[in-house]
Amino acid sequence: MVHDLIRFLKENELLGFAFLTTLCGIHYPDRELPLGVVYHLHRFSDNTRIRIKTFLPVEKPVVSTVTDLFSGANWMERETYDFYGIIFDGHPNLKRILNVEYMDYFPMRKEYPLEDPTREDKDNRFFGR
């Protein structure tokens, strides 16, 4: 569905958002649909940008690829898959791009505590606690 919207924004003569500036993943663990993809499109004629967000469940994080519309989306989708585990259906080569292939988790998901609660070498007085 987001693919159809992006195609419309790109191919419509009045709109003409012909450049994909950014495609990235996001994770809001407290939401009903915690994973998401953010697209930023650019129209050169008047220097306008538009942001599109789509959200997905963790159990089935699948969205259609936009590599058929923007070839530059190839690496951005691979990076989003690599760090968030979002699957881009129809991508020509969806595999990890920065992390090792045998990694069994997605490091940018907020599924782990930010600090190690067992650390003894840290004095909380220095961190405003």
Side-chain angles (χ1 to χ4, degrees):
M1 187 155 121
V2 72
H3 183 275
D4 296 336
L5 173 63
I6 292 172
R7 179 188 300 274
F8 175 75
L9 291 169
K10 179 183 180 186
E11 296 176 354
N12 184 289
E13 292 180 17
L14 296 175
L15 299 175
F17 286 95
F19 185 73
L20 176 68
T21 305
T22 306
L23 182 157
C24 63
I26 51 178
H27 185 213
Y28 297 117
D30 298 333
R31 291 192 177 180
E32 183 179 342
L33 297 173
L35 291 174
V37 180
V38 180
Y39 305 85
H40 289 163
L41 302 175
H42 188 92
R43 178 173 53 212
F44 292 114
S45 61
D46 60 353
N47 201 27
T48 301
R49 291 182 189 220
I50 189 171
R51 178 184 309 129
I52 301 159
K53 294 181 182 180
T54 185
F55 291 92
L56 313 159
V58 172
E59 299 79 29
K60 190 177 179 189
V62 180
V63 66
S64 296
T65 184
V66 293
T67 54
D68 58 324
L69 303 174
F70 301 101
S71 59
N74 189 324
W75 283 34
M76 290 186 258
E77 288 180 354
R78 285 181 62 189
E79 180 184 44
T80 302
Y81 165 72
D82 195 5
F83 286 109
Y84 293 93
I86 297 171
I87 299 164
F88 292 89
D89 190 36
H91 190 281
N93 188 22
L94 191 62
K95 62 180 185 178
R96 290 192 182 267
I97 192 169
L98 295 170
N99 292 308
V100 293
E101 284 291 327
Y102 55 84
M103 220 171 162
D104 60 351
Y105 62 94
F106 301 102
M108 293 299 287
R109 288 188 184 179
K110 298 172 184 162
E111 298 173 336
Y112 307 99
L114 293 177
E115 297 180 30
D116 181 3
T118 62
R119 270 183 77 175
E120 296 177 3
D121 64 325
K122 189 167 129 184
D123 190 339
N124 282 332
R125 293 176 297 162
F126 299 118
F127 296 95
R129 301 183 193 137

